[in-house]
Amino acid sequence: MSFIVKPSEIFGSIYIQMSKSDAHRALIASSLAKSPSIIKHWIDNVSVDVEVTKNAISNFADLEVIDDGLKVFPKKEYKKELTIDVKESGSSLRFLIPIMSALGITCTFTGSKKLFSRPIGVYKKIWKEQGLEFIHSENSIKISGQLKASNFKVLGNLSSQFLSGLLFALPLLEGNSNIIIDGELESEPYVMMTLKTLKAANIETLRHDNNIIEVYGNQEYSGIDYEVESDWSHAAFFAAAGALGGETTLYGLNKYSIQGDKEILNILKFMGASVFYNNDNSITIKKTNRLNALDIDMADIPDLGPIITTLAATAKGKTRLYNAARLRYKESDRMNDLMDSFLKIGAKIEVTEDEILIEGVERLKGGATTSHNDHRIAMSLAVASAVSDNDIIIDDAESINKSSFNFVEQFRSIGGKIEL
């Protein structure tokens, strides 16, 4: 499916959807508990990725939507052999693999070929060392055998999802374990989100220093009474739309959140946009003059890479996104694919092994381009219409559904012009 996005002025307010990252974690913790849980601020219409995790945990718990929440009732018994379709959800796959092995479940994960080409060697090495089955093909992974407590080494600069998956699984094992982080930990805010969810479920861990997390075994998850935050990653697209195209006011966000992508507000301030915290806890972002280029460290905020590229495309000067190599291992090779997508609409962009360099132009020319089936690139290209002289035609735009069920509706509500 292609979107035709016409140049437009932006003005309006929206309520930001629940955090995909927070929802994944709340669903998993509540399904492992011995008592019922309530996940507040839940809406039944969710992104594809969250639906994947919701369907997976239904093997362990019964789910009931009530008013503004989701009740989770853990099952006393569950099957010891499962097949789970994770579609394109890297979070679901990487969280669920160690959990299934901790529970002694033989599980076959199916999904998109693109997902199974993404890095998974961290787990493959651990399973081999423990003598467990780990069969990885181009469109599936099959695991079997009981994971055992141990010292687990995880690369800090690959994906925090491996670390989070182990953090959820290791409390279920019979002995204590250590997670040893090899090198500098990137995307640390996502690990902090996992530790926050574990604490809510009365799971104890101990961080000895920046590189070792001890996880105590023989623990039981408690039921949680949990409020899912709104999603700063998603809010970034609408904040950027306001900074480029006029004005947006965003509701539902926690300005004290530990979500790393709330950094978008600081980035917008430093680039020259106006950011106001209103008395009703909403946040207003206004366009001032042309934005200014900036050097930005992407180590902890890789998901902001696409929308920062939109901001930088027409900023005055050269923007440098560094520590960006991890963008190559997302839903697409986001470094090369961002370059390709934005070059097609008139941006000046080049990439090195670890950097994205963007020389701002005054306006984009628009034209036909592609999202490379990457939801964040698709939304970023749509927002770029605010600084384009002509329509932007985005191929593979249905990828947006991976993380957002209502982006098109909300973008239209603030003045965006999208034709399907």
Side-chain angles (χ1 to χ4, degrees), residues 12 24 96 112 170 180 211 270 281 291 322 335 341 403:
H24 280 305
L96 291 168
S112 77
L170 299 184
I180 302 163
N211 292 95
F270 282 118
N281 292 320
L291 297 177
Y322 61 96
M335 293 187 74
S341 297
S403 63

Side-chain angles (χ1 to χ4, degrees), residues 31-34 56-62 73-82 103 105:
S31 72
L32 296 173
K34 296 297 183 183
I57 68 133
S58 67
N59 290 289
F60 310 115
D62 294 316
F73 302 92
K75 296 178 180 178
K76 293 182 179 179
E77 296 182 356
Y78 45 83
K79 297 177 181 178
K80 286 297 184 179
E81 187 162 353
L82 295 171
L103 296 171
I105 294 173

Side-chain angles (χ1 to χ4, degrees), residues 239-240 242-244 246-249 264-278 283-291:
L244 292 174
E247 178 180 328
T248 52
T249 298
I264 188 62
L265 294 187
N266 287 328
I267 291 169
L268 287 169
K269 287 179 189 177
F270 282 118
M271 293 185 84
S274 295
V275 178
F276 298 94
Y277 295 91
N278 303 311
I283 302 168
T284 297
I285 300 93
K286 288 184 179 181
K287 176 183 177 181
T288 53
N289 298 312
R290 185 179 174 191
L291 297 177

Side-chain angles (χ1 to χ4, degrees), residues 177-190:
S177 298
N178 289 307
I179 300 175
I180 302 163
I181 302 165
D182 185 6
E184 192 74 20
L185 176 60
E186 298 183 1
S187 291
E188 183 169 7
Y190 288 102

Side-chain angles (χ1 to χ4, degrees), residues 150-169:
S150 184
N151 293 326
F152 298 89
K153 183 176 282 190
V154 178
L155 289 171
N157 65 351
L158 186 56
S159 174
S160 63
Q161 292 169 355
F162 296 112
L163 205 157
S164 288
L166 289 169
L167 283 170
F168 280 120

Side-chain angles (χ1 to χ4, degrees), residues 223-239:
I224 57 175
D225 188 349
Y226 195 90
E227 293 187 11
V228 178
E229 292 186 359
S230 289
D231 195 333
W232 276 100
S233 301
H234 193 66
F237 299 103
F238 298 102

Side-chain angles (χ1 to χ4, degrees), residues 31-183:
S31 72
L32 296 173
K34 296 297 183 183
S35 54
S37 298
I38 296 179
I39 304 175
K40 297 177 180 176
H41 297 170
W42 185 270
I43 54 175
D44 200 33
N45 196 357
V46 296
S47 67
V48 172
D49 279 9
V50 172
E51 189 68 27
V52 165
T53 296
K54 181 183 170 188
N55 289 340
I57 68 133
S58 67
N59 290 289
F60 310 115
D62 294 316
L63 310 174
E64 179 186 349
V65 177
I66 53 156
D67 297 330
D68 185 30
L70 180 72
K71 278 192 173 182
V72 183
F73 302 92
K75 296 178 180 178
K76 293 182 179 179
E77 296 182 356
Y78 45 83
K79 297 177 181 178
K80 286 297 184 179
E81 187 162 353
L82 295 171
T83 297
I84 296 176
D85 182 1
V86 290
K87 301 187 185 301
E88 293 187 3
S89 178
S91 299
S92 303
L93 178 66
R94 290 169 175 166
F95 290 168
L96 291 168
I97 284 175
I99 290 169
M100 295 299 170
S101 285
L103 296 171
I105 294 173
T106 296
C107 188
T108 300
F109 297 95
T110 61
S112 77
K113 186 179 293 187
K114 181 183 287 189
L115 174 61
F116 292 106
S117 69
R118 292 172 65 181
I120 203 71
V122 172
Y123 287 158
K124 192 181 295 187
K125 184 173 183 291
I126 291 170
W127 266 242
K128 183 178 179 181
E129 289 172 348
Q130 292 209 0
L132 308 176
E133 183 178 66
F134 195 107
I135 302 173
H136 182 195
S137 71
E138 65 178 10
N139 54 15
S140 70
I141 290 174
K142 181 180 179 181
I143 58 170
S144 64
Q146 175 71 53
L147 191 65
K148 297 176 284 293
S150 184
N151 293 326
F152 298 89
K153 183 176 282 190
V154 178
L155 289 171
N157 65 351
L158 186 56
S159 174
S160 63
Q161 292 169 355
F162 296 112
L163 205 157
S164 288
L166 289 169
L167 283 170
F168 280 120
L170 299 184
L172 303 172
L173 306 184
E174 290 190 0
N176 296 349
S177 298
N178 289 307
I179 300 175
I180 302 163
I181 302 165
D182 185 6

Side-chain angles (χ1 to χ4, degrees), residues 318-385:
K318 178 175 281 189
T319 294
R320 181 173 71 101
L321 310 184
Y322 61 96
N323 290 330
R326 285 182 53 223
L327 273 70
R328 295 189 185 280
Y329 306 108
K330 293 292 184 176
E331 281 78 354
S332 67
D333 175 350
R334 278 189 182 152
M335 293 187 74
N336 285 327
D337 291 345
L338 276 168
M339 179 173 66
D340 176 70
S341 297
F342 276 82
L343 284 174
K344 283 182 167 70
I345 59 171
K348 294 182 179 179
I349 177 171
E350 57 183 302
V351 301
T352 68
E353 184 177 344
D354 195 39
E355 295 182 339
I356 303 175
L357 306 170
I358 306 151
E359 182 73 44
V361 298
E362 288 199 17
R363 299 278 296 179
L364 296 170
K365 66 180 178 62
T369 187
T370 176
S371 73
H372 292 276
N373 200 37
D374 186 314
H375 57 122
R376 296 194 191 280
I377 294 179
M379 289 185 280
S380 298
L381 289 167
V383 172
S385 64

